[in-house]
Amino acid sequence: MLEGTKVKPIDSVVVRFSGDSGDGMQLAGNIFSNVSAGEGNEISTFPDYPAEIRAPQGSLSGVSGFQVHIGVGVHTPGDKADVLVAMNPAALKTNLQFLKSDGIIICDTDTFRDADLKKAEYSTDDPIAELGIDRKRVLGVSMTSLVKETLKDSGMAPQAVLKCKNMFALGLICWLFDKPVESVLRKLQTKFAKKPAVYEANAKVVQAGWDCGHNTHSSMPTYRVESDKQVPGVYTDVSGNTATAWGLIMASQRSGRPLFLGSYPITPATDILHELAKHKSLGVKTVQCEDEIAGCASAVGAAFAGALAVTTTSGPGICLKSEAMNLAVIGELPLVIVNVQRGGPSTGLPTKSEQTDLLQALYGRNGESPMPVIAATSPTNCFDAAYMAAKIALEHMTPVVLLTDGFVANGSGAWRLPDLESYPAINPPYVTPEMKDNYTPYKRNPETGVRYWALPGQEGYMHILGGLEKDSNTGAISTDPENHNLMCRLRAEKVAKIPVPDVKVQGCADDADLLIVGFGGTYGHLYSAMEEMNHAGKKVALAHFVHLNPLPHN
C-alpha cells in the first residue's frame, strides 16, 4: 500500500462474489483464492451455482455465487460474509441473507435501472432502502461505466467489454484487502496465454478497479489478512475434483498401471473427466461414454485388461452403474467408483451439496457385494483419498467407492504439493512364474484372501471372468449352493481384512462429555464447532471417519 494509507491487520475474512451466471463470479473468486493461497493464507471456498441452465439474465434464479474464507485457522467457507460483491440487483436481493449484519456491500450502481429492478422483482426504484440496508455499509461504484471508459480504445465489442466487469470487482477487493495486483496479473497471464488481447483488457480493468478503490475511497481503511506460519513448500489453490484427478494419476504412476476413466458427464463430477483428459502425456485414457452404464462397463473391461480403472458420477449415476459395479465385485477386479454426492432423490438438487448416498454406497447393490468405502474430508484431502482408494483397489482386487460431495468437489483449499516419495508403494498381487502350472483365476493369497492377478495375454494364464458365479477351485461356472456360499464369504472376508488406520479422536480426547461423530466433507464444519465449544469451556471431542468400510478397529 502507498505510504500514509491505513492498513488494519485482521485474522480472517469472508468474501462473497455474486452476480449473473455470465458475470464470471467463479473466475474472480478463484483468482482471489489463488492469490491468497500464494501469500500463505489458509483458504476455504464454496462455489454456489444455480441449478438452472442460463436462466434469464438479471433474474433471481440466474444468480451465481462464490464465497471464500481466507486467513488463519480456516476450516470452512464461513457461515456469513464480511463483504458481499453484488454485480446486479438480483444478486443483492438473493445474497443479502448470506451477509453479516455489519458487513460491507460493494455493488455496481449502473445496474440499478428500471428494467433490472423489475427483473429482480423490486417494488420500488431504491433497492437499498427497500431491503432495509444501512447506506453507510454500501460502497456503490459505477462499474459498468468505468469498465467501458477503461476499454473505450480497445476495439472490443460492447458485450466483450462488459465481460470484464468481474475483473474490476476483483481489483476493488484486492485493494480492500491489500493484495498485490501483480499476483492477479500472473494468474490472468496463465489463463489467457493464447489470447493476449483478452489478457491486456482484463489486466487494464483489474488495475482500474484497484485504482478506483485507492483514489476514490482513500479515507477508508484497508485490511491485511494475516497468515499463520506454514510448513515450507510450494502451495497452490486446488479444487476437490482436481485433487481427485491428480491423486488417481499419482496412483497410476506409482503402480505402473495405466489409468483409464470411463465416464458420463454429470454435475458435480464432470470436472474430474475434464482434468484427466488433459494428461494424455502421463498415459491417461479418458472415454466420454453415451450413458452411465457404458461408463462403468467400459471401466470394468479396462480393469480386466490390466488398467487402474475409474468411473465417476453422482448419486443418480450410481443407481445406473450398480449392475456393472457388481460385475467388478464378482470378477474381483480393481475399479475406483467416484461418487461426487449431491442432494436427492431423483435429480434432486444437482448443484447443491449433501452426504446423501452413504447407505447406497455401503449396501445399494443386488446380492452379497461388500465394497470398501472411503470418504474425503476436504478439497485438499481428495488427493490422499483418491490415492488410497486406488491403492486398495489394486492391492486387494476389489472395486472401491470414493465418496466426495458437491462442496468438497467444487470447493478449494490451499494445498502444499506433497513429497511423492512419502506415499506408500502400490503393489498389485500379480501372478508369479511358480504359479504357471497350477493357476486358476480364484487362487488366493492365504493371508489376505486376495486373488492373484493374471493380465490378459500372459502366456500360461488363460482364464475367464464374468457375471456368473465360478467354482472357487477351477474357475468354471458353478451353481452349487455350497460353492456360492463359500465365494460370498471369501469376497466379504477379503474386504474385511483390508487394513485401515485407526480413527483419530480430536479435541478433549481423554475426558470429553460429548463426542461428535461425522464422516466426509462435514469435517471442517464439525471441527470448527468443536473448537468453539472447547474455547467456551465445554469438553467436546470429534471422531471423524474417512474409512467407512471396513471400519477402523478402534
Side-chain angles (χ1 to χ4, degrees), residues 211-227:
D211 291 343
C212 173
H214 177 70
N215 296 328
T216 311
H217 306 281
S218 56
S219 61
M220 277 183 65
T222 56
Y223 304 89
R224 179 177 295 119
V225 183
E226 300 292 353
S227 298

Side-chain angles (χ1 to χ4, degrees), residues 317-515:
I318 290 289
C319 301
L320 294 165
K321 293 180 189 291
S322 63
E323 185 178 11
M325 290 164 63
N326 258 6
L327 180 58
V329 169
I330 201 167
E332 300 190 48
L333 290 167
L335 172 67
V336 177
I337 304 110
V338 182
N339 179 357
V340 186
Q341 301 167 94
R342 70 192 206 189
S346 187
T347 49
L349 299 87
T351 61
K352 307 304 178 186
S353 186
E354 229 179 75
Q355 291 184 304
T356 189
D357 299 335
L358 174 61
L359 296 181
Q360 181 179 229
L362 290 168
Y363 310 115
R365 294 168 293 282
N366 63 294
E368 310 237 5
S369 49
M371 288 185 193
V373 179
I374 294 174
T377 60
S378 69
T380 55
N381 176 249
C382 285
F383 182 88
D384 289 357
Y387 184 84
M388 293 310 299
K391 177 178 168 65
I392 289 173
L394 287 168
E395 292 188 340
H396 296 271
M397 297 300 288
T398 179
V400 177
V401 176
L402 172 59
L403 294 175
T404 66
D405 57 52
F407 160 62
V408 166
N410 292 322
S412 63
W415 183 58
R416 179 177 176 271
L417 270 61
D419 173 12
L420 302 186
E421 295 305 315
S422 68
Y423 282 72
I426 298 177
N427 300 304
Y430 298 121
V431 292
T432 61
E434 295 78 29
M435 299 178 190
K436 197 169 185 179
D437 295 332
N438 61 354
Y439 172 75
T440 63
Y442 295 104
K443 186 178 182 65
R444 301 177 185 277
N445 180 304
E447 294 182 5
T448 63
V450 177
R451 79 173 187 89
Y452 293 102
W453 196 10
L455 303 180
Q458 285 186 269
E459 186 179 349
Y461 295 97
M462 186 181 294
H463 63 284
I464 297 172
L465 299 179
L468 296 176
E469 187 65 278
K470 306 294 192 302
D471 185 274
S472 64
N473 293 315
T474 67
I477 292 173
S478 170
T479 58
D480 177 67
E482 294 299 329
N483 177 76
H484 178 54
N485 177 57
L486 173 64
M487 290 295 277
C488 285
R489 183 169 56 78
L490 290 173
R491 287 189 289 263
E493 287 177 354
K494 177 183 71 171
V495 171
K497 287 180 178 178
I498 294 171
V500 300
D502 283 348
V503 65
K504 182 182 178 183
V505 180
Q506 296 174 286
C508 301
D510 297 324
D511 59 349
D513 296 319
L514 173 69
L515 177 67

Side-chain angles (χ1 to χ4, degrees), residues 87-110:
M87 302 299 283
N88 61 23
L92 177 61
K93 192 173 194 177
T94 58
N95 283 274
L96 186 60
Q97 62 182 312
F98 304 120
L99 182 68
K100 292 177 181 176
S101 58
D102 59 347
I104 298 171
I105 297 169
I106 297 175
C107 56
D108 180 7
T109 53
D110 285 341

Side-chain angles (χ1 to χ4, degrees), residues 37-59:
E39 288 200 322
N41 293 138
E42 297 174 27
I43 67 168
S44 179
T45 71
F46 176 64
D48 188 10
Y49 301 103
E52 295 79 5
I53 299 173
R54 296 301 292 163
Q57 189 171 13
S59 66

